[in-house]
Amino acid sequence: MLAIGLLAAAGLIIWLGQSALLLISGRRVGLRVSSSGLSKTGKQVGRVIVNASIAGVVVTYPLLRGQGLVAYYGGLLPADHRAMQCLSGFSIAIFYLSLMYVGWVATDNLRFSVRHKVSRVVRRLAVVPLAAVFGAFAEELLFRGVVMADLLDTFGAVPAAVGGSLLFAGAHYIRRVKRYWTFPGHVMLGVLLCTAFLWTGTLWLPMGLHAGGIFLTLGTRPFVRYNGPAWLVGASIFPYAGLAGVSALVMLTAAMRMLYGGYP
C-alpha cells in the first residue's frame, strides 16, 4: 500500500501549500484545496506545488521499491509494437466522443458557435495538444503506473480496478469544485482507464484514451453551448458526466475488452 501513503502525503502537501498561500493573501483556509481569491501569481505557485507533488510521487515510488526510474517506467512504456496502442486509444476516444457530439447536435442538445474573439480562440486551441499529452501522461503515470500497479501487487485484478477507479475519481474532488454530481462519470472513466491498463499491462492504451478525451473536450469547449439537461449531456467541462456520456464510457470499455481483453 505504498502508493496510497504517497498519494495521501502528496494531498497533504498540496493542501498545506494552498493553505499557506491563502493565509498570506489574507484569505480563509478551508478543508478542501482551493485557489479562489488568490492572485495570478498565487495561482501559478499553487499549480507548481500540485505538479511538484505529483512528480514527487511518480519519482519516489519506484525508488522506494528499489528500482530505477528508467527500468520501472520503461517496463510500463515498452518501446515496441505495443506503443501503437497509444495511437489506437487516442483515435477510438476521439471517434466515440465525436459520435456523442453528433447525436447531441442532431437532437439540439448542443450547438456549435464562435463564442469568443478569434485571438482568444486561437490562444486556447494552441495549448490543447500540449494539455492533452502532458495531462494524460502525468495522470496515467500517477494513477495507473503507481496507484493501480501497487494495488495489483496487493490485491487481485478486480479489487485493484475498483479501488483504482474510486481513487482516480476521488482525487478530482479534493479541491473545491462547482459540481459533485459528476462523480459517477469520473468513476466510469476510471474504470475504462484501469481496465485498459489491466488488459494490456502497459500505459500506452490508457494514455491514448485519456489524451483523446482531453483533446476533443478542450478543443470543442470554446465553441459548444449545451442546451440539453445536465443529467443527459453532462457539463461543458466534463461531457462524460451525463447519462449519455456514462453510457458511451460503458460501450467504450466493452470495445476495449473485445479488442484487448485477451492481450497480449
Side-chain angles (χ1 to χ4, degrees), residues 7 11 32-33 139 143-144 162-177 180 182-188 190:
L7 195 62
R32 292 189 178 276
V33 174
E139 290 200 15
F143 289 106
R144 256 57 65 183
V162 172
S165 301
L166 291 174
L167 287 169
F168 170 76
H172 289 80
Y173 296 88
I174 64 168
R175 59 186 177 87
R176 188 176 300 165
V177 297
Y180 292 94
T182 55
F183 183 75
H186 275 107
V187 172
M188 193 60 229

Side-chain angles (χ1 to χ4, degrees), residues 113-117 120-121 220-225 236:
S113 63
V114 179
R115 299 168 52 195
H116 308 286
K117 292 182 179 180
R120 184 180 178 185
V121 170
T220 57
R221 191 180 299 174
F223 308 102
V224 298
R225 185 176 299 277
S236 61

